[in-house]
Amino acid sequence: VSDGHIRINQGELLGANKSRAIPAYLNNTEAERSQYQDVQGGDITTNRLMTLLRLQRDSGEQVASINWFAVHPTSDSMSEYGLGAVPISGDNKGYAAYLFERLQASQANAEAFVAGFMQADEGDAFTQLWFDNDEMRARRQADLPPNEPSPVTVANGTAQLNRALSLYTSASETLRGPVDYRLSYVKMDAVEITDPVVLASLQHPADMDADPKRTCTAAMGVSFPAAGHGAQPGETGAYTPAGVSCKDPNYAQAVQTDFINLVGGNGPAWLFSYAVGCNLQQAPGVDLACQAEKPVLFVLGPPLNLSANIVPFQLLRLGNLAIVGLPWEITTMAGRRIRDTVSEVLRDDGVDYVVITGLANDYVSYLTTREEYALQMYEGASNQFGPWSLAAVQQELRRLALNMRDGVTSASGPLPPRSAPQLLQTLPLQGLDAAPLGSSFGAVLEDVQPRYAPGDTARAVFQASSPNSDLKTGGSFLWVERRLASGQWQVVARDADPETSFVWHSESPQPQFVASPYSKAEILWRIPRNTAPGRYRLRYEGVANTATQRQPYSGESSEFLVEGPAANCP
């Protein structure tokens, strides 16, 4: 261990994030929005600032780069993989981190270098900027490598990478000051806002007010299934139109129409409408009356406990940098208010920078301003604890910041349950694995071609088991290997590399109500343009959950040639 220093740098990254919730943003007061405008007087609707740390030993050894930038890492579209496929990917931030570390690994004494592309207040910021229409998509596609998994991932990840490299290279200001932290757990469905400073800072119109201002039992609104993909009020998302509000006299009809579409016209729409929506706010045994404009689709809080109601609040200090850790996806204006709340307390104590790390150590969906919540778009409908959630977050963070400034220990708050409820499953239930009669786990079902050129895609399909049987944490499901002159095999790529894909295919029917024991694994290697000529193979490993044991197995494709001129690139 040796001494070192941390340098900080900041700069705007333009063209890498875009607001998907403009109407909600514009529902914030004009006085507040006017503080965040560009030189032409237009609204700056996303946080475009990247904040970066450069960690380096006094010996000169470069250790790490950590940056915060607000954009959804959801560039890798599921539609590219087919119905029922769930891509697992590092997406734009993982792609940028992978390339940063790969560049550093080519430098001397940088083998263990870590690049962290952290999340910030990305709740309403997404990546679909260069792909707004077919012409732009085609033009951008022509500029990208032809063998990458997703052009949006590559474009956005490259933009973040380039800005991070420039900030890293020019970082000169050294962090100075003490190291400190505060951690507190808050029961988010039972907070009343009483802090006079927070109350005085609220700018909402009078018709959005309430007394007292308190948080609610966690629930999702009927616009939640719109899935946030840029749906605007009146537009149909995945299921429900965004922007359906209890203040809209036609909300019941909108929900009924949606339900009719959902069940093919065969369901009692009136039953659905009266079972959910604004009527559910009066249901016995749940505290939903303070959900205000939100027509409730389903309850997450007690007694069902489908989502955490006791969540961690974290405040870390590295010299003159404060890091706020919260378990929400935080919208742009909400993030600004949070940073202002912390900065106003710690500024005179030497803190010059405040960043937000979103989705930290838990997940409780979205956090919006009171004004954004009123419009009940996707983010507002997904604001679980009601319209005063942000004010509650500001109040609790202000308490932690005051404790830090004054050197006072913060109350730990109620401890969360030791284990999270398992009622909500994101993966199908794991059954037993089996190979069809005449086959075996790891058997090659579709083999590679005998030869490929750089830029082609090598493909093989293997008899597989469910990847849930062993998630290969710290390992890999696949390897691309090159035969050396000695006859040994050298690994050139794993499932973490962006030029590879591991696609698992279950033979279960869709939707997957009945689990089939049979499955296949499709291995793809998009051969980089600079791949050296030689003999290669694809290798697959898995673990089968049989009736008697957990059975490790592997399979290898035939050898194949990569031949042809290799591009001169790193």
Side-chain angles (χ1 to χ4, degrees), residues 32-33 72 92 114 128 195 229 239 245 272 295 298 306 369 412 433 437 480:
E32 185 174 26
R33 288 188 288 107
H72 263 74
N92 53 60
V114 174
Q128 306 295 321
D195 187 315
H229 298 300
Y239 295 117
S245 165
F272 181 75
F298 53 83
L306 300 180
T369 69
S412 61
D433 298 307
L437 187 65
V480 178

Side-chain angles (χ1 to χ4, degrees), residues 507-568:
E507 294 187 10
S508 297
Q510 294 291 340
Q512 192 165 342
F513 295 122
V514 180
S516 168
Y518 305 138
S519 61
K520 301 175 183 179
E522 181 181 13
I523 306 301
L524 302 172
W525 179 39
R526 291 169 291 275
I527 304 172
R529 295 284 184 179
N530 62 341
T531 300
R535 303 195 69 85
Y536 293 81
R537 72 178 182 184
L538 306 181
R539 183 161 61 90
Y540 163 60
E541 284 192 3
V543 174
N545 181 25
T546 68
T548 58
Q549 63 178 337
R550 292 169 62 83
Q551 175 188 338
Y553 63 89
S554 64
E556 296 86 29
S557 74
S558 299
E559 296 181 25
F560 57 90
L561 279 172
V562 173
E563 53 189 3
N568 183 21

Side-chain angles (χ1 to χ4, degrees), residues 297-432:
L297 177 63
F298 53 83
V299 178
L300 293 174
L304 298 177
N305 296 314
L306 300 180
S307 178
N309 64 338
I310 298 174
V311 301
F313 282 62
Q314 299 166 90
L315 181 60
L316 298 87
R317 179 173 180 178
L318 297 176
N320 53 323
L321 167 69
I323 304 171
V324 178
L326 293 170
W328 283 272
E329 298 189 59
I330 302 161
T331 64
T332 300
M333 194 65 83
R336 289 165 176 163
R337 294 186 191 178
I338 288 171
R339 286 192 296 273
D340 286 346
T341 296
V342 173
S343 180
E344 286 168 4
V345 175
L346 297 179
R347 185 184 299 117
D348 292 340
D349 198 42
V351 170
D352 302 310
Y353 304 94
V354 179
V355 296
I356 294 172
T357 294
L359 305 96
N361 290 338
D362 211 322
Y363 181 73
V364 283
S365 202
Y366 282 76
L367 187 64
T368 68
T369 69
R370 175 65 185 94
E371 297 87 335
E372 293 163 353
Y373 181 94
L375 207 57
Q376 279 299 291
M377 293 181 64
Y378 170 74
E379 292 80 10
S382 304
N383 189 338
Q384 295 184 17
F385 301 107
W388 306 109
S389 299
L390 175 59
V393 169
Q394 290 177 267
Q395 176 173 277
E396 298 305 313
L397 285 174
R398 189 168 184 274
R399 173 177 61 86
L400 295 183
L402 287 169
N403 292 163
M404 180 176 285
R405 183 197 68 183
D406 299 337
V408 176
T409 300
S410 296
S412 61
L415 293 179
R418 294 188 63 181
S419 60
Q422 299 299 314
L423 294 178
L424 288 182
Q425 297 288 335
T426 57
L427 294 173
L429 296 176
Q430 173 64 48
L432 296 179

